[in-house]
């Protein structure tokens, strides 16, 4: 099973694809989509939408997981982040992917066993667990972390859904 | 020229299409897209995206205008509204439409000449200016108001762009 993880952001959206085989996790791809900073906001949203659609077409993931954000510095930044997230969700759902949301705390808990872990710890655990080649940008590391978090939660979720 | 106005909302998104011919405005269509309230949030966003895409395909507007929101009750509602707006913007840009944003104050100013006008005044002026048939839901009235606001601003905007 291939899992796509997404760390949404209007300036930089990280994505990561991992292969999940029982307990085994394997790195497939990762990257960051950065729309031209001086473009109009609506064009930047479309670059995010198209960029993620291309990633989905290339790797054909079976499931998607996206970091959910309940907190923001202020309403203005929440609106920007929300719009980016909306554009990215549409690209997943259009490709037939279900999008599972995970809070930053859930991601940290799954990776480090501690909901208030530091960014550096997350990056360290991602490197340890799936050994991505080359240097890992923070947004891509976060996206891979969301995918790993989903891999941990997905079996329990599937069991619950089958039982229902 | 056909102008599409959109009043974004995750529960109800209003849309309105008007024909602009010099100073003359004519009602073409209006409606509200309301995703099933109990569906998952990501599916609801996709319903907004698909719904607006269908409206665009049916009426083929030349330009789009969308209410911009800088204020929200709190970050959580800003995130929800933002995601709806992101999904809707993608459907416009995918159809080749430029999306002009207008603040609620600009819309009120254009319709009533007063930036802090009441909702009822907006609905009244929309009815007066373009005589939409039947009863007008609030979200559809707001969407038509955004389209009318764009019709007022567009000539000045085009002049500025030609001069640049």
């Amino acid at each position: 099973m291939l899992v796509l993880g997404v760390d949404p952001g209007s300036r930089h959206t990280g994505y990561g694809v991992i292969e999940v085989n029982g307990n085994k996790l394997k790195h497939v791809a990762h990257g960051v989509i950065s729309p031209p900073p001086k473009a109009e906001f609506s064009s930047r949203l479309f670059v995010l939408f198209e960029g993620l659609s291309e990633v989905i077409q290339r790797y054909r993931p079976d499931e998607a997981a996206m970091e959910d954000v309940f907190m923001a510095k202020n309403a203005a930044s929440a609106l920007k982040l929300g719009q980016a997230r909306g554009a990215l969700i549409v690209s997943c759902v259009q490709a037939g992917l279900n999008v599972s949301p995970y809070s930053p705390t859930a991601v940290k808990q799954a990776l480090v066993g501690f909901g208030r872990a530091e960014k550096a710890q997350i990056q360290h655990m991602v490197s340890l667990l799936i050994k991505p080649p080359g240097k890992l940008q923070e947004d891509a590391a976060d996206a891979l972390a969301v995918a790993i978090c989903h891999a941990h939660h997905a079996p329990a979720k599937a069991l619950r859904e089958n039982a229902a």
Side-chain angles (χ1 to χ4, degrees), chain A:
Chain A
M1 182 181 75
L2 287 185
V3 175
L4 166 71
V6 182
D7 179 39
S10 60
R11 290 180 184 195
H12 305 288
T13 284
Y15 67 86
V17 183
I18 62 170
E19 191 184 308
V20 184
N21 199 337
N23 281 330
K24 283 188 183 164
L25 303 180
K26 202 178 130 192
H27 172 273
V28 175
H30 70 262
V32 177
I33 307 166
S34 303
K38 289 189 179 171
E40 266 190 44
F41 193 72
S42 57
S43 314
R44 281 160 59 193
L45 290 183
F46 194 64
V47 169
L48 294 179
F49 166 79
E50 280 206 312
L52 192 62
S53 296
E54 279 171 28
V55 168
I56 294 170
Q57 276 201 320
R58 188 177 313 152
Y59 299 104
R60 308 230 167 244
D62 302 288
E63 296 187 1
M66 199 175 289
E67 191 155 309
D68 206 355
V69 183
F70 300 101
M71 302 279 284
K73 271 178 241 156
N74 51 52
S77 64
L79 275 165
K80 273 191 194 161
L81 179 57
Q83 290 178 72
R85 203 170 184 277
L88 295 161
I89 285 178
V90 166
S91 96
C92 291
V93 181
Q94 190 171 48
L97 287 171
N98 195 21
V99 185
S100 299
Y102 293 97
S103 70
T105 309
V107 174
K108 289 173 179 176
Q109 188 75 42
L111 272 275
V112 191
F114 176 53
R116 286 162 61 199
E118 301 281 335
K119 285 265 178 198
Q121 282 178 277
I122 298 291
Q123 264 175 295
H124 177 74
M125 284 306 294
V126 167
S127 298
L128 211 66
L129 286 168
I130 57 170
K131 299 177 187 59
K135 205 182 166 312
L136 200 55
Q137 282 171 276
E138 190 179 297
D139 298 292
D142 285 344
L144 287 167
V146 178
I148 295 170
C149 172
H150 182 69
H152 287 193
H153 282 84
K157 202 182 160 201
L159 274 177
R160 274 201 309 279
E161 279 165 8
N162 286 337

